Amino acid sequence: MMRNSYSYKFKLKAVKDYLEGPFECISVAGKNEMPSVSPLKRWVNAYKTLGPNGLRK
């Protein structure tokens, strides 16, 4: 599934899956049908820096 953009809710869920679970980025990205781990890594960094608002557009 290719997406041009992801919703805030989707980003937050993916970030929490990664931060709260024992999984690596590649596993979380695969579970959420993301074609790449790059967006997830950016979202995690934004979340760690700015909190949930870092995931908003």
Side-chain angles (χ1 to χ4, degrees):
M1 173 194 295
M2 291 294 291
R3 296 184 187 193
N4 292 330
S5 64
Y6 297 91
S7 71
Y8 169 78
K9 188 175 178 179
F10 180 90
K11 293 176 188 178
L12 187 60
K13 179 187 176 307
V15 168
K16 287 188 174 190
D17 283 349
Y18 173 72
L19 293 176
E20 296 173 358
F23 305 108
E24 297 179 6
C25 277
I26 190 87
S27 299
V28 174
K31 173 184 169 195
N32 289 289
E33 298 181 6
M34 298 173 64
S36 170
V37 298
S38 296
L40 179 57
K41 288 180 179 181
R42 283 194 308 272
W43 302 339
V44 168
N45 287 334
Y47 185 87
K48 286 180 176 179
T49 302
L50 303 170
N53 284 332
L55 303 178
R56 296 196 186 275
K57 294 182 180 180

